Amino acid sequence: MYDRKLEKSESVSIIEDPKINVWNVEPSTSANNCRNFIREIVDNLDLQPNPEKSVIALSIGDPTVYGNLKAAEETVEAVKSALVEGLFNGYVASSGHQEAKQAVAEYLSQNDVQIDANDVILCSGCSSSLEHCITVLADGTKNQNIVIPRPGFPIYRTLAEHIGVEVRYYNLMPENNWEADLDHLESQIDEKTAAIVVNNPSNPCGSSFSEEHLRNILEIAYRYRVPVIADEIYENLVFPGEKFVSAASLNSGVPILVCGGIAKRFLVPGWRLGWIIVHDEFGVLNNVRKALNSLTQRIIGSNTLIQGALPAILKNTPQSFFDSLIGTLANNAKLAFERLQSTEGLTPFMPQGTMYMLVEIQMEKFPAFADGLEFAQKMMEEESVFCLPGECFAIPGFLRIVLTVPEDLLEEACARMMEFCKRHYKH
């Protein structure tokens, strides 16, 4: 009887009975808990640009937006070759193709770090890596918490609260190149703390921790026996004179899940290829390894075409490409810092790397604005320049500047910001 098709003249009886025809379809708790905090803030701003001025967006952390920063030819050719070969159009092991994992292990095995391919799990971008790490370590049903940096990238909070895990912040100190306030970090840890998130180099701060400071953070993690999630998506993207130190290089005894990928350094965020490195000196993460592999099976692995190209991408992309990228970002950082440093009411903080700069607004000098949100909104309205307000990163009274725009646009944006501040600054 269930295979019989209804004739057009027939109808299902349940539709005709109003007592039964009651639908109650509600979203799940985890779906309701999933929030994009940047979008919540930005979407509530009335962002109407000045129609007489073209918009300059210093808000988007995608280095490809303006077309001035492109992937290396060798990176592109690697994908072309993988596509033509036709060997990577199907499924592979959910944790990643073995040759791709080996390539990541070799790529990251430097500066006192030795990684085995079995320590590598490939993911669908670094955000997926972070999701796996937070999910595998923290459990909302056990009232656990994770400790994350402030200011910091809001995805940590999104991923934790989505699964019912409490988020606690530890402060970064602008006067100390955005180093962590170690006493404050320690005060946030308790018996329910499942992980400490360390973002180095940092978005949005542009800071790069010294070896000594990183050791101090890891010493706290070791003392309290709390594993670390190291977000190192900006690995080696530091300016001349600075040094990137991976948390996995310090032999701290702390179990560390290192998250990274090719999005930023290789200028291909849309290719969605990230990784997790399981750094486990004493074998305390054996069950976590198994659970991570289980989590990868939810989407049956990451982009196989890019996995196929990954060995060539990591081996053939020349150092000259990275040097050129860093040179561009460092020059833009210097330009923005010098221009905004001479702007009344603004205090820029010179970054040590990445693609960002934080700028403090001396709010008491701008009494027309209640907060940084109003400041950013009005600057868009008058000057068609938009920066993400610090509220997006849990640090009100700041702006985040993106340094990936063409130099002439950055120069123009800084000039407009200067005019805006001159117009509204009160002595």
Side-chain angles (χ1 to χ4, degrees), residues 33 53 86 130 145 148 177 183 224 245 257 263-264 277 290-291 303-304 329 348 350 407 416-417:
N33 287 343
K53 297 184 177 184
L130 291 164
N145 63 77
I148 68 174
N177 285 325
D183 291 336
Y224 286 91
V245 181
L257 299 179
K264 305 299 185 177
I277 308 301
K290 296 175 184 176
N303 188 317
T304 56
L329 295 172
M350 183 66 184
E407 182 178 334
R416 293 188 197 177
M417 292 174 70

Side-chain angles (χ1 to χ4, degrees), residues 19-291:
K19 295 180 180 179
I20 302 176
N21 187 25
V22 177
W23 291 77
N24 185 21
V25 182
E26 296 291 335
S28 67
T29 299
S30 62
N32 278 331
N33 287 343
C34 193
R35 300 163 61 193
N36 183 319
F37 296 100
I38 290 180
R39 288 259 53 93
E40 281 189 9
I41 291 170
V42 173
D43 288 349
N44 284 320
L45 296 177
D46 183 17
L47 296 176
Q48 300 297 325
N50 185 334
E52 297 181 0
K53 297 184 177 184
S54 59
V55 173
I56 304 176
L58 301 182
S59 56
I60 305 171
D62 179 349
T64 70
V65 167
Y66 281 95
N68 57 313
L69 298 177
K70 299 181 183 295
E73 291 182 10
E74 292 84 356
T75 301
V76 175
E77 286 300 320
V79 177
K80 288 182 179 178
S81 296
L83 179 63
V84 171
E85 287 173 5
L87 301 177
F88 302 98
N89 296 329
Y91 295 124
V92 296
S94 60
S95 64
H97 191 279
Q98 190 62 27
E99 289 184 13
K101 293 165 69 172
Q102 181 63 41
V104 171
E106 293 174 4
Y107 168 71
L108 294 176
S109 289
Q110 52 183 307
N111 300 328
D112 301 321
V113 180
Q114 289 300 316
I115 296 169
D116 187 90
N118 293 326
D119 298 326
V120 179
I121 296 172
L122 299 183
C123 306
S124 182
C126 190
S127 56
S128 175
S129 306
L130 291 164
E131 180 188 23
H132 288 340
C133 291
I134 291 172
T135 301
V136 81
L137 293 177
D139 192 335
T141 66
K142 297 178 181 177
N143 298 316
Q144 290 185 315
N145 63 77
I146 64 169
V147 183
I148 68 174
R150 177 173 55 201
F153 195 53
I155 195 172
Y156 312 134
R157 181 182 171 190
T158 298
L159 297 174
E161 292 185 350
H162 162 67
I163 55 173
V165 171
E166 178 191 355
V167 166
R168 298 180 177 181
Y169 292 99
Y170 64 91
N171 292 333
L172 306 182
M173 301 179 292
E175 67 275 14
N176 288 346
N177 285 325
W178 299 106
E179 288 186 346
D181 182 331
L182 298 176
D183 291 336
H184 189 242
L185 167 61
E186 190 167 355
S187 73
Q188 301 305 300
I189 299 170
D190 64 14
E191 69 280 359
K192 293 291 187 178
T193 301
I196 300 169
V197 176
V198 178
N199 178 205
N200 177 54
S202 166
N203 174 13
C205 304
S207 57
S208 180
F209 291 158
S210 68
E211 179 177 326
E212 179 184 5
H213 185 62
L214 205 50
R215 285 190 185 280
N216 289 336
I217 293 174
L218 293 174
E219 191 277 329
I220 293 173
Y222 184 84
R223 183 150 30 94
Y224 286 91
R225 298 300 192 268
V226 178
V228 164
I229 299 171
D231 180 358
E232 297 182 356
I233 186 61
Y234 295 96
E235 52 92 17
N236 282 314
L237 205 57
V238 295
F239 298 160
E242 304 293 341
K243 179 185 178 182
F244 165 68
V245 181
S246 172
S249 70
L250 301 182
N251 300 315
S252 63
V254 176
I256 303 171
L257 299 179
V258 180
C259 298
I262 62 174
K264 305 299 185 177
R265 193 175 186 225
F266 291 82
L267 300 177
V268 287
W271 289 8
R272 312 310 302 147
L273 198 293
W275 53 68
I276 300 168
I277 308 301
V278 182
H279 178 73
D280 184 19
E281 297 171 64
F282 299 115
V284 301
L285 295 181
N286 290 337
N287 290 336
V288 169
R289 285 178 186 266
K290 296 175 184 176

Side-chain angles (χ1 to χ4, degrees), residues 374-393:
E374 285 191 12
F375 185 98
Q377 179 175 303
K378 193 67 174 179
M379 190 165 68
M380 179 65 159
E381 179 183 321
E382 294 184 9
E383 297 293 343
S384 296
V385 173
F386 184 58
C387 308
L388 285 183
E391 283 81 354
C392 293
F393 308 98

Side-chain angles (χ1 to χ4, degrees), residues 11-23:
S11 62
V12 181
S13 60
I14 191 172
I15 296 177
E16 298 172 354
D17 189 341
K19 295 180 180 179
I20 302 176
N21 187 25
V22 177
W23 291 77

